[in-house]
Each structure stands twice: as C-alpha cells, then as structure tokens.
Amino acid sequence: MNYAILAEDRPDSLQARLAARPAHLARLERLKDEGRLILAGPHPSVDSESPGDAGFTGSLIVAEFDSLDAAERWAKDDPYLAAGVYERVQVKPLKIVLP
C-alpha cells in the first residue's frame, strides 16, 4: 500500500536541513531503486522552487510500504528527524486515485 509521510520543519532549521540532506536523499534513492518511491519533495516557505534563505516548511514523501507500521518505522529513521529538522512527522495511508 502507499503511504504519505508529511513532515513539518522546525523554525530556523535550514542549516540543519542542508547538512543532513545527503543522507536524507540517499534513503530516498534506495526507495526509488526498489521501485517504491512515488514522489518526494520539500515545501518551500515562499512561492519559489528556490526559496533561498527563506528555507522550507516541511516535506512530503509518498512511497509504498508493506504496512503502516513499516512506513512509520522508515519515517522515524529519517536523517532530517535525527538532525532536528522535522518538528512533527505524520504517516497516513494513501489511496492513489489519479492519474
């Protein structure tokens, strides 16, 4: 089943995000290589793909996992969470209807 991982950044976490980004992306690449990643990306703080110093307000990851528990365990091990980037992470089952 697919799951949406919705994460909210802590205020002023841009530097921690940048430092942890390589490890965060490596985990996403593994999901992609396994054919389980549907989409992933950050939420810019401003209406721009390159928000600069404004940073980001969080992230969205949609991926396939065997269960809600497996998705929650995967999200719990995210380097952004360990680095203090994320203030809150929510994992929800997702039924993709379109496209």
Side-chain angles (χ1 to χ4, degrees):
M1 178 153 189
N2 294 311
Y3 296 87
I5 300 170
L6 303 150
E8 294 180 25
D9 285 14
R10 292 184 187 282
D12 301 315
S13 62
L14 181 58
Q15 293 308 312
R17 177 183 270 273
L18 295 174
R21 188 170 189 262
H24 173 79
L25 290 179
R27 291 181 83 232
L28 291 172
E29 284 292 337
R30 284 193 296 275
L31 279 181
K32 180 182 161 195
D33 292 345
E34 294 168 0
R36 300 181 345 179
L37 182 64
I38 309 299
L39 66 89
H43 302 286
S45 293
V46 295
D47 190 12
S48 172
E49 287 191 24
S50 301
D53 290 339
F56 301 90
T57 61
S59 301
L60 170 64
I61 299 166
V62 177
E64 182 182 334
F65 292 93
D66 290 335
S67 65
L68 177 59
D69 183 58
E72 289 173 336
R73 280 185 314 217
W74 188 90
K76 184 179 175 186
D77 289 335
D78 195 299
Y80 280 172
L81 193 58
V85 175
Y86 291 155
E87 183 169 55
R88 185 170 58 154
V89 177
Q90 185 177 17
V91 181
K92 300 170 92 173
L94 178 67
K95 178 182 175 184
I96 298 177
V97 177
L98 293 170

